[in-house]
Each structure stands twice: as structure tokens, then as C-alpha cells.
Amino acid sequence: MAAGETQLYAKVFNKLKGRSTPSLLDPLLGMGFPAHTALKALAATGRKTAEEASNWLHCHCNDPSLDDPIPQEYALFLCPTGPLLDKLQEFWRESRRQCAKNRAHEVFPHITLCDFFTCEDQKVECLYEALKRAGDRTLGAFPSAVSLVLHSSISYLGFFVNDSPADIIREFAVMFATEASILADCTVKPCTKQLHLTLAHKFYPHHQRTLEQLARAINPSHSCQWTAALYSRDMRFVHYQTLRVLFQYKPQNVDELTLSPGDYIFVDPTQQEEASEGWVIGISQRTGCRGFLPENYTERASECDTWVRHRTYTFSVAPDLSSRKDSEASSRRNGEPNPPSSSRSLSSLQSLQATIVRRSVLVVRHGERVDQIFGKSWLQQCTTPDGRYYRPDLNFPHGLPKRSRGIKDFENDPPLSSCGIFQSRMAGEALLDSGIRIASVFSSPALRCVQTAKHILGELKLEKKVKIRVEPGIFEWTKWEAGKTTPTLMTLEEMKEADFNVSLDYRPAFPLASLLPAESYDDYVHRCAVSMEQIVSTCPQDVGVILVVGHGSALDTCTRPLLGLPPRDCADFAQLVRKIPSLGMCFCEENKEEGKWELVNPPVKTLTHGSNSAFNWRNWIQGN
């Protein structure tokens, strides 16, 4: 520490020591901690107890930034409690389950009163005083009920605070900002524009109607205690990803982090060049140390999970002592309340779910197939004279599953290429990030389709939980298949032996033996329509997405029957299918109110990539 900083902290210590109330700093200084690190620990733990600050300092003994004068960032929120909060949390859970995660899920329900601002560690108690002064001046005028009006747009859903309550709340925010600037020498920007409580933000447009239905189940006039809460966060990690540790990990090398379940790790996505596949470089919130860690030991956490709750000011008094205790018990360390108790009526929850359940069907084309890249003679390129498989190019798969009739059967039932496997996994990863719930999976019996379904489920962590139901009725138009007979496809038993988690109980609309060679276009379209009718009827109560993995043609012939559209002209159909890329998707959502299905935006973005031609280094050297 510089001499000037040492003198500054000495003055702060003397000032705090002169107060009539015992200072939290005293026991920390008595333990031998320097004043500047002790104050930093108190700020980082919300100035609750000296014991918490002491534990923080012991954990951060190897933190390279411990002596750096980096202040915390603070913000003031107006948070609901009581029955209204219960309903908001119910909305939070249901909206995430039904419509995937959106930006609103990163933070607990709140009305922002001021933007994040910095405050020096030695002046944090002055912020508490500013909050109390502003609250005391506003308490008498604070409205007994805050008027909330639902507002919806294509990317935002929330309650607006209107009329005189909004004016009083804004006045309170201005008072706090003024007091904080005087007492703590902080520059605080109060929110003076439209006050709002965000329900959903930056969601998929096709989820707007469902989110609105969920929001209308919230009665904004529910009983509520409004509490102004002061939070802080580490300003260095604002734009980092936050991971929550799931499993214990002991470092195998000196540059790895020790992980304990419940730890939070800050990860900068732009600084991962040094990390190997499956590993990330992060900074532990618990210790402040930086190092490598296995990514699969963690899961994504919300932005506010690492925030620290400092002080609160409640504007209305609870009706009775028990309700106040319930409200206090519902607060976690970071201030986000726990889920409401199970005393809530189960029937009311079921009726709420009944209004928002929408079945969805996601039709996906399989990934890149090996013959798509290496041509019809691909099998000759990867087979030894004695009939064994080998890998002549990195885009050939590592191996092939066993088939009772040998490798020859792969000729007209080719597997995915290595890139096709990667495409499938990438799609599964994107579906996982989108938050949608895959309820059931149906696949064409073609190997490439079953492989695609397997790798998507693998990334969704559902490979062992959700069985693939093989439906021959959505197999490719047999007129496009080579030869005068339909391809010899793998049996369910062969798929099971090859570690595909296929269902042996599902009874398909069309058995494998019913596929006829060179069928007419009308027969093919009818086959797909009947198959889709059975697929949808098989999952009448499923809440979530029905995943159908088929061929490029399936995006047309498996969706038009749902939409109530007639078959496309055969010539137009052929032209259309040629333009559908690997992992192309179509997404249909059921509108029960209007008794029809609608085509909406898929939950993930498209996958576009360029070609990569073969390269022979020997020819290149000799040619130059």
C-alpha cells in the first residue's frame, strides 16, 4: 500500500473506532488483518458479521488482487415480497419451463431505482445511512398499493408503474442518490424514466402469446410489502459468464482451480485460447484465484447469483408477525427469495398450466452424410481388401456400427460424416442453451437420422432418459432411393447393440417391411401425413417439444399436414428439398384456442458453413 492510502485507512479506522456502536473492523484488526483488506472483506460480504469477513479473508489469502483498491459496484432495487412475489416466482419458473430462458431470468423480480455505481470500501456504511434517511422521508407518503399495468411488445413483457405511486418512488430514488452523493461521495444516477418490473426480455417472438397468458395469471393487486434493497457486485466480472460448480474437484496440476459444490466461477469467453477442449479458464469468486477447470463440472448460473445483499428498507408493515417471519425466511444470501411454499393450491397451479400448455413439433433434417462428401463410391474408399473399415480422411467417422449382413449394407444406408456428428452436437448444444424441453423423439430408421437424434439428445443430457422412437413412416421418398428395392436398414436390435437408446415398445404407423420401392408421390405424402398424425396423438399430454428427425423432405411433408395445408406440387417439392441444408429445422406450435397449428421461428439459429476441399501436401510441394 502507498503511504497516502495507509493514512487514509488509518483516518477511517479512527473515525469508525470513535463511534458508540462496536465496529466490525475491530475484531478483524485484532486478528492482524490490514485495515484496507479488512474493509474490502466487509464490503464483499455485505458488512454482516466480522466472522463472515474473516472467513472471506482466509479464503482469499492467495488472491492476487487482494491489495488492489477495486471498489464494489452498488445498485438499489425495489423488491416485492409476500403473495405478489409468490405469483411472480411462479411466472419465473413456468416461463422458463415453457418458453426457454430469457434475459429476465438472470435477475430476481425487481424495479430498478438506480444504475450500478461505485463506492469506496470505507464509505459503504454511509450508503446504509443514505438509504435510511431517504426511506424515513418517504415512508409517510409511500403508497399503500402500487399500480402495475401489464405492457407487452415483441421483445419485452412487464408491469409499468403508473400514476402518483411512480412519482413517489422516483422521488425516493432521487433522495437516495442525493444523500449518497453527500454522505458517501458517490455519483448515483437515479431512474427517473418509466419505472417497470420486467417479466420477460429478449425472448423468442413465437413465445409472446404464451408469456402473455402466463402474465395475465398474475394479479398485480396481490398483497405486497415493497422493500428497497441495496446490492453489490464485483465490477471486474460484469461481462463474464457465471458458472456454478456441481462437483468436487481436486487439482491435478498447479494451474488448476480447487472446486467445491456451490462455488461460483467467472469466465471470460474471449480469453479461452489457452484452454483445451472441455476445459475453461476462470476466476473463483470464493478464493479470487485464476486457473483451469473442467467445464462439465459446472452449469450456467444467473447473473445475480453472485450479488451480495447489503441493507434493506421496508415501506409497509406486515399484517402479522408470522407473515413477516415468512418474508424474512424466504431471503437467500444473495437476496433472491426462495420458491414459495407448497401450501399453494395444487389445483390453481394445474389450471394455470392448462392455459399455457402448447405442444410443439420440431422437425430436423439429419446432419451431413458421408456419401454427400465422398460420393457414391465412399464405401470402396474406406474398405480394405478383406472387408474391414478404415478411416482414409478425417471426415470419415471413427468407426461403423456392426450389422448382421456386414459392411455392404452401409452403401445405401450411409452414416454421418465426422462433420455431420459435429453439426448434430452443435444443434443439441444450442437447444440446451435455448432452454426448451424435449419431451419425446421420433426418427426415420435411416442410420444418419438415428445418429443425429442420438447426438442431439447427448448434448441435451437426455441420451439415457429419452428413448428414440423409430418411425419408418417418415423415411425418405423411396423413389429417390437407388435400386429397385428399398435399402436394407438396421433393425431395432442392431441399433440397441450399437448403443442407440431406441424404444422397443413403440408401434410405428408403418412397419419397416411396408416401405415399397419407387412409391408414388401421393403415396409418400400420405405416408408422412398418417405418421405425423400418430406421432402427435402418441404424445397428447406431453408438455414440451416433440422432436422429429428425418430427411430434408420431412420439413415439408411432416409439417404441412399439421398446418392443414394441401400437398405441394411434386415439381416444386423437388426444387424445395434441394435447398434444405443439414440440420435445417421447421418448428410448429399448437394453438389450442384457435384449434390449429402454426409455423413459428425455430428455437435455435441456422447453421451455415463453407466447403473444405481435400488437400494433398505432396502434390502441393512438388507443384511449387
Side-chain angles (χ1 to χ4, degrees), residues 324-337:
R324 178 182 291 274
K325 288 181 179 179
D326 291 341
S327 174
E328 291 173 353
S330 70
S331 295
R332 298 193 317 210
R333 177 188 63 80
N334 70 346
E336 182 183 357

Side-chain angles (χ1 to χ4, degrees), residues 206-239:
H206 63 271
H207 287 147
Q208 182 178 355
R209 187 186 291 109
T210 301
L211 290 168
E212 288 176 356
Q213 289 177 336
L214 272 170
R216 292 192 189 101
I218 304 172
N219 184 356
S221 62
H222 273 302
S223 174
C224 176
Q225 288 187 104
W226 289 97
T227 298
L230 188 66
Y231 284 84
S232 74
R233 67 184 183 187
D234 194 318
M235 62 186 297
R236 296 173 296 168
F237 307 122
V238 172
H239 300 296

